[in-house]
Amino acid sequence: MSAYYEFKLPTKILSGDGALEHIPHELEGLGASRPLLLSDQGLEQVGTVKIVQEALHQGGMDPAETFCRIPPDSSIEVVNQVAALFRGKGCDSLIALGGGSVIDTAKGVGMVLAQAGSDLLDAAGCEVLPRGAHVPFVAIPTTAGTGSEATLVAVVADPANRVKMEFLSYHLLPDAAVLDPRMTETLPPRITAATGFDALVHAIEAATCLQRNPVSDAFAEKAMAQIVRALPRAVQNGKDRKARMVMANGSLLAGAAFSNSMVGLVHAIGHALGGVCHVAHGEAMTILLPAVMKYNLEKCKERYGELLLPLAGPEVYAATPAELRAQKTIDTLVALRQELADLTGLPTTLSQTGRVKPEQFDEVASTALNDGAIIVNPAEANHEEIVGILREVWA
């Protein structure tokens, strides 16, 4: 654990039934009246966008423009296009309705606008952005997974270089995060499982990386306890609003935790698999977590043992000898992963994704070594060791 740490979560959290209807009041308080509503075609088709539009209308603030063409892996080109639309329509604020891609796109747009630029690449760099102009920003997550509504991170694809670019700055945090159970009810079981496991990985890596701190640990451990108990219920019954809200709050807690500590090797390799092979992020996290925990076990044995309590509960923790708790933690996560796979067909190996070829392992490993998340992983990893992990999770 770091001897010195910082923790910041300036985002206001609006959570519960009717949270959407509070958005106009929040934007008014930020001096905004002409929001640009960003989403994707899937959410438009199932009616989620309409629910938000009606909630805004009820509060007397219709969007100045709605843009629903953000792809699953948003790119620099999309960010620049939306920034130009924002200016062309005279908008003064952003509402991001969606998963990580939509929210990260909005963060990218905010960066471009705040710096009075036209190209996101001009803002490339790690924690070097000045504040710039403030663009009021509300995030409405529709998956309980990325935690992007509570993080200082934006991940945007650079297709030309086959990488996912990471931008980090406290200025990327939304002014408000809106957690409303209506927003995740239509999420299919498999996506619910994959994004929920992603949130669990956020919590576990935040609680074990080299920059973990007492506050991030508290957020992460609470997130774990909520996610492991609510995720199977949310997968089995998407209309279970209580489970959906527990997951939404757990995802936010995990996001806040890793935003103030960091993640680790699971994410480094996962980002590389996304950039090189286009593996869905949540699926990559699901596949990689047990193998990476096994790789980190020697460095994290005591900490993994402690995490058995939030992950498996007090009875299992008390019944497990101290020297066996770390392995029991990994076994508990493997069992949860298999339960989700049995329920939804979620892949547990790289071969099952149909997107990865063994001859790509070298490129994936090289890309992972250049990912910032690898720096704070508790155990160092070289090219050959990453290739070894990829081989282990191949089949």
Side-chain angles (χ1 to χ4, degrees):
M1 186 178 294
S2 177
Y4 170 82
Y5 73 91
E6 298 178 2
F7 192 100
K8 184 175 184 179
L9 182 59
T11 301
K12 184 174 181 178
I13 301 165
L14 313 178
S15 178
D17 291 320
L20 293 172
E21 281 72 18
H22 292 264
I23 295 173
H25 175 72
E26 293 301 319
L27 287 175
E28 288 170 3
L30 294 165
S33 61
R34 292 180 54 80
L36 170 59
L37 174 59
L38 302 178
S39 193
D40 61 47
Q41 290 181 326
L43 292 170
E44 184 179 34
Q45 290 169 0
V46 299
T48 305
V49 172
K50 185 177 180 181
I51 293 172
V52 173
Q53 290 172 326
E54 290 176 348
L56 294 172
H57 180 74
Q58 183 177 324
M61 187 181 289
D62 293 311
E65 183 70 15
T66 299
F67 182 88
C68 294
R69 297 195 301 278
I70 296 175
D73 283 311
S74 193
S75 66
I76 295 166
E77 289 78 9
V78 175
V79 168
N80 295 340
Q81 177 188 356
V82 175
L85 176 67
F86 183 100
R87 291 182 173 123
K89 296 295 182 178
C91 300
D92 61 11
S93 51
L94 292 164
I95 300 175
L97 169 67
S101 182
V102 174
I103 296 174
D104 284 359
T105 296
K107 290 178 177 180
V109 172
M111 279 189 275
V112 173
L113 297 171
Q115 307 306 318
S118 59
D119 189 343
L120 180 61
L121 282 175
D122 294 337
C126 180
E127 296 184 290
V128 297
L129 288 175
R131 174 62 175 174
H134 176 227
V135 180
F137 174 26
V138 174
I140 312 170
T142 57
T143 67
T146 69
S148 187
E149 70 278 4
T151 74
L152 50 68
V153 183
V155 180
V156 181
D158 179 0
N161 293 303
R162 291 162 58 88
V163 297
K164 289 190 173 183
M165 299 180 63
E166 291 178 310
F167 297 86
L168 289 85
S169 172
Y170 283 117
H171 306 317
L172 297 180
L173 284 156
D175 295 290
V178 181
L179 309 182
D180 192 300
R182 290 171 287 178
M183 296 294 93
T184 55
E185 284 184 339
T186 61
L187 198 66
R190 178 161 165 165
I191 299 177
T192 298
T195 55
F197 211 90
D198 182 22
L200 189 57
V201 175
H202 290 156
I204 291 168
E205 291 207 295
T208 55
C209 74
L210 297 179
Q211 290 185 172
R212 55 178 279 249
N213 61 71
V215 184
S216 65
D217 276 359
F219 275 63
E221 289 174 28
K222 183 63 175 179
M224 291 177 215
Q226 292 194 263
I227 292 167
V228 296
R229 288 155 183 77
L231 182 53
R233 288 169 44 207
V235 167
Q236 291 172 342
N237 179 12
K239 298 296 183 181
D240 185 337
R241 286 197 169 189
K242 184 175 181 180
R244 290 294 196 183
M245 281 309 304
V246 171
M247 284 300 303
N249 282 285
S251 176
L252 183 141
L253 288 167
F258 89 79
S259 183
N260 287 279
S261 57
M262 195 45 181
V263 278
L265 187 58
V266 181
H267 273 78
I269 302 175
H271 290 154
L273 284 168
V276 175
C277 308
H278 307 292
V279 176
H281 182 71
E283 294 185 1
M285 299 296 97
T286 305
I287 293 165
L288 289 165
L289 178 63
V292 173
M293 290 183 73
K294 178 182 174 183
Y295 178 81
N296 287 334
L297 185 57
E298 185 177 344
K299 295 283 187 180
C300 293
K301 189 169 185 179
E302 181 179 357
R303 183 60 177 144
Y304 284 168
E306 293 170 351
L307 297 184
L308 184 62
L309 180 58
L311 287 168
E315 292 184 2
V316 173
Y317 180 85
T320 305
E323 67 274 13
L324 301 179
R325 285 172 183 162
Q327 184 60 50
K328 183 67 173 178
T329 295
I330 298 174
D331 293 343
T332 298
L333 292 165
V334 170
L336 173 63
R337 183 179 70 171
Q338 190 59 52
E339 179 182 2
L340 298 174
D342 291 342
L343 288 169
T344 69
L346 191 66
T348 58
T349 67
L350 288 179
S351 60
Q352 290 172 356
T353 68
R355 293 182 174 272
V356 186
K357 298 176 181 178
E359 53 264 34
Q360 294 174 300
F361 287 175
D362 280 326
E363 184 179 359
V364 172
S366 296
T367 304
L369 285 170
N370 289 317
D371 190 279
I374 201 170
I375 298 170
V376 294
N377 192 68
E380 292 185 11
N382 60 33
H383 186 280
E384 291 72 24
E385 289 165 333
I386 294 173
V387 170
I389 291 170
L390 292 168
R391 288 178 179 145
E392 181 179 346
V393 300
W394 166 248

